Amino acid sequence: MTFSAFELVKNALTGQAGWQPHWRKARPKPAYDVVIIGGGGHGLATAYYLAKNFSITNVAVIEKGWIGSGNAGRNTTIIRSNYMLPGNIPFYELGMKLWESMEQDLNFNTMVSQRGVLNLYHSDAQRDSFARRGNAMRIHGVDAELLEREAVRAMVPYLDFDNARFPIRGGLLQRRGGTARHDAVVWGYARAADRRGVDIIENCEVTGLRIEHGKILGVETTQGFVGAGKVGLSVAGSSSRVAAMAGMRLPIEAHVLQAFVSESLKPVIDCVVTFGAGHFYISQSDKGSLVFGGDLDPYPSYAQRGSLATFCDVMENAVAMLPMLSRLRILRNWGGLIDMSMDGSPIIDRTPTDGLFFNGGWCYGGFKATPAAGFCLAHFIASGDPHPAAASYRLDRFARGCVIDEKGAGPSPNLH
Amino acid sequence: MLINCPFCGLRDLGEFSVNGEAVARPVAHDDFDDADLRASFVDAVYFRDNPAGLHREYWFHAAGCQSWLLVERDTRTHDISKVELARSQEHDKEMTS
């Protein structure tokens, strides 16, 4: 079934009885050409692009829980490509272009909203660094505008412009950035992959990797052994645990990142705004809730729950930037496990095990990367070579001294 | 979270900063072109076990006695099972080697 105006009207008139489940509840077959471990946005996108771009349709996505139950459902749904370093910009801009064509491509409403991403600056030095970032983006064909204080005030007049400690001097705006509906991205890719023959196997945990003579043969799961010609790992948050099954250590620490949702308000914030004097980012969902977050919890954790200290820190940032938030009630907060890599940039690469491919280390940036990560991992799995846009995201960059350290924080994962 | 500093007693998380997995520092020698030595430094600087479970990690009591601590903590529950001075560990190692 394809979504169209005709289908919507027809179902509206027939009691919405004509809709079908969007993907089959597949049982694992004995073997596949490619098995993707992890049914989040990245894994499902990988399966979709394997089928669409490379006609590899004998593919299974194996997910421990239900699809989208990990980080795909635990983020702040921001999409952007405002990066500065050469290894990053082409990749995230490829992603931005995929976001822009996603709804037509998937025939699914993923609610991509290019409402603009505004990064505030608070000092002359920060203005210089944002000008540099904006210039780097424009050289690569990405849109960026450096706004002065009055232009920011016209956009978002309710910020604390005259904060005594961190007055707002202006901002760097990417108008093509914005938000998307995170669950719809998962469902859209799942449905589109399923329609091309991909098996989506939920509630099936991978318990081991079968490797012989340095080659991957398949995966051991709670539903039995599943053979595979090639295997892709797309399990950010648990990357080290799954990679350990192949005897690998990774340049990654697991951390908890908290996000927060307020009670619903009438429309008040119509773009994404980030605070430059601390670490804070906020947008408003279409339901009216303010969705925001800040720094991660500083210590390595697999707990999927955050500490009160970080909670307080985020709220202090919130009120410093938007004093009106002090009277807002927080409805809920949650913690997601993220792969913090040693240089703050991701890894899409083959592994020392023949036929085993890795995608992870996404730090704060996994959601926005969903389409491009799937696109590039599919390219790597199908062709055996990295996609040009992700050619810098290799595992050996740490040994070669070619780290991509956007923040300049060095090998301290909790600082990226 | 509270950390039981050997000098200061139970203190709040906010007084400490964490420095990640307690990785053994490779022993350097003059031949920096030695492939094994280079690999061991890459391993120590960038690669981590990152276990879901017991984790030995360095903390710094920044807003306290400024000691470096070696903490054993479960990354699934955040329960701390052991805190000792990182200095005494280094010292012990030197004495035994």
Side-chain angles (χ1 to χ4, degrees):
Chain A
M1 175 189 57
T2 301
F3 285 112
S4 63
F6 173 74
E7 282 289 334
L8 290 177
V9 171
K10 190 179 87 181
N11 278 282
L13 297 175
T14 54
Q16 308 290 355
W19 303 117
Q20 305 289 320
H22 285 332
W23 58 90
R24 295 163 289 125
K25 297 286 176 200
R27 303 279 303 168
K29 290 193 282 187
Y32 293 90
D33 293 339
V34 179
V35 165
I36 305 294
I37 305 176
H42 286 218
L44 293 162
T46 305
Y48 169 69
Y49 290 117
L50 278 171
K52 183 191 171 212
N53 295 350
F54 301 98
S55 301
I56 301 173
T57 56
N58 187 23
V59 174
V61 177
I62 296 183
E63 164 59 39
K64 175 182 172 183
W66 60 90
I67 59 168
S69 60
N71 293 330
R74 289 171 174 266
N75 56 74
T76 47
T77 78
I78 296 166
I79 61 175
R80 58 185 175 88
S81 57
N82 53 359
Y83 282 74
M84 189 176 74
L85 296 181
N88 276 334
I89 302 180
F91 175 82
Y92 286 103
E93 181 55 15
L94 169 70
M96 201 65 234
K97 291 200 169 79
L98 290 169
W99 282 112
E100 287 170 330
S101 60
M102 174 185 283
E103 291 172 349
Q104 290 70 32
D105 188 31
L106 301 181
N107 180 239
F108 201 84
N109 182 9
T110 51
M111 295 168 69
V112 173
S113 165
Q114 294 182 286
R115 56 183 69 184
V117 172
L118 176 65
N119 304 130
L120 302 175
Y121 62 80
H122 306 261
S123 65
D124 288 349
Q126 202 170 21
R127 183 183 187 280
D128 288 348
S129 101
F130 278 26
R132 180 183 174 212
R133 175 179 297 266
N135 288 340
M137 290 162 66
R138 290 163 70 128
I139 287 168
H140 281 80
V142 185
D143 70 306
E145 293 167 49
L146 194 66
L147 303 185
E148 300 301 331
R149 177 185 168 98
E150 290 316 309
V152 171
R153 198 194 288 275
M155 272 183 77
V156 276
Y158 36 75
L159 302 180
D160 187 6
F161 283 88
D162 299 314
N163 185 309
R165 180 77 172 83
F166 302 113
I168 293 166
R169 303 281 192 211
L172 182 68
L173 175 65
Q174 186 185 20
R175 288 192 195 276
R176 287 161 65 237
T179 61
R181 172 88 173 98
H182 53 355
D183 292 328
V185 173
V186 171
W187 300 330
Y189 274 118
R191 170 173 170 273
D194 178 86
R195 277 154 59 107
R196 289 176 185 267
V198 171
D199 279 359
I200 296 167
I201 301 158
E202 296 176 278
N203 299 305
C204 179
E205 183 178 351
V206 169
T207 54
L209 302 172
R210 190 177 291 180
I211 297 167
E212 271 177 30
H213 307 300
K215 185 176 180 349
I216 191 89
L217 300 179
V219 297
E220 310 283 353
T221 77
T222 48
Q223 296 186 30
F225 175 75
V226 181
K230 292 172 181 171
V231 172
L233 299 186
S234 205
V235 293
S238 298
S239 289
S240 295
R241 280 194 276 187
V242 182
M245 295 175 186
M248 287 172 73
R249 291 172 84 226
L250 296 172
I252 285 172
E253 265 181 14
H255 280 266
V256 168
L257 179 60
Q258 300 188 62
F260 307 85
V261 166
S262 77
E263 60 190 320
S264 289
L265 305 176
K266 289 193 173 177
V268 54
I269 298 178
D270 63 355
C271 58
V272 179
V273 195
T274 77
F275 191 39
H279 193 185
F280 180 75
Y281 35 93
I282 188 165
S283 65
Q284 187 167 21
S285 77
D286 292 351
K287 284 188 291 188
S289 314
L290 301 185
V291 183
F292 54 95
D295 267 328
L296 43 74
D297 283 44
Y299 43 83
S301 172
Y302 282 91
Q304 282 197 330
R305 62 177 165 80
S307 71
L308 189 61
T310 302
F311 187 113
C312 295
D313 180 65
V314 173
M315 296 308 147
E316 284 165 7
N317 275 278
V319 175
M321 185 175 98
L322 285 152
M324 66 176 180
L325 296 189
S326 64
R327 296 165 70 179
L328 199 67
R329 276 174 287 244
I330 305 301
L331 281 194
R332 50 182 202 279
N333 74 311
W334 62 90
L337 294 187
I338 54 179
D339 278 2
M340 291 306 295
S341 69
M342 284 288 171
D343 60 355
S345 294
I347 295 153
I348 301 176
D349 203 354
R350 64 164 66 85
T351 70
T353 304
D354 190 20
L356 182 65
F357 295 82
F358 178 79
N359 165 44
W362 287 99
C363 303
Y364 284 76
F367 178 72
K368 78 173 92 66
T370 301
F375 198 92
C376 292
L377 180 60
H379 185 280
F380 214 141
I381 291 174
S383 71
D385 292 312
H387 188 281
S392 301
Y393 294 156
R394 309 299 296 273
L395 258 172
D396 66 357
R397 69 174 184 262
F398 300 95
R400 288 187 293 117
C402 299
V403 293
I404 313 166
D405 191 342
E406 191 87 21
K407 206 172 168 188
S412 296
N414 58 349
L415 299 183
H416 286 289
Chain B
M1 198 156 90
L2 296 172
I3 297 176
N4 192 6
C5 173
F7 289 125
C8 312
L10 274 181
R11 294 299 184 96
D12 182 72
L13 175 69
E15 293 188 7
F16 299 84
S17 62
V18 63
N19 195 41
E21 197 166 304
V23 180
R25 187 189 294 265
V27 181
H29 52 75
D30 288 341
D31 183 10
F32 288 111
D33 288 329
D34 179 66
D36 289 341
L37 179 69
R38 292 168 72 108
S40 67
F41 268 100
V42 169
D43 218 42
V45 174
Y46 293 113
F47 286 77
R48 298 290 178 262
D49 288 337
N50 193 22
L54 217 55
H55 192 237
R56 279 160 53 84
E57 57 197 16
Y58 288 125
W59 287 74
F60 180 54
H61 196 179
C65 60
Q66 308 238 312
S67 300
W68 280 96
L69 306 177
L70 185 61
V71 174
E72 232 175 65
R73 186 177 61 92
D74 192 315
T75 56
R76 295 164 302 184
T77 61
H78 304 163
D79 290 340
I80 293 173
S81 46
K82 199 161 140 192
V83 183
E84 53 194 341
L85 286 179
R87 192 172 51 193
S88 61
Q89 290 296 304
E90 292 293 318
H91 184 69
D92 289 350
K93 219 185 306 170
E94 276 165 31
M95 296 300 283
T96 50
S97 63

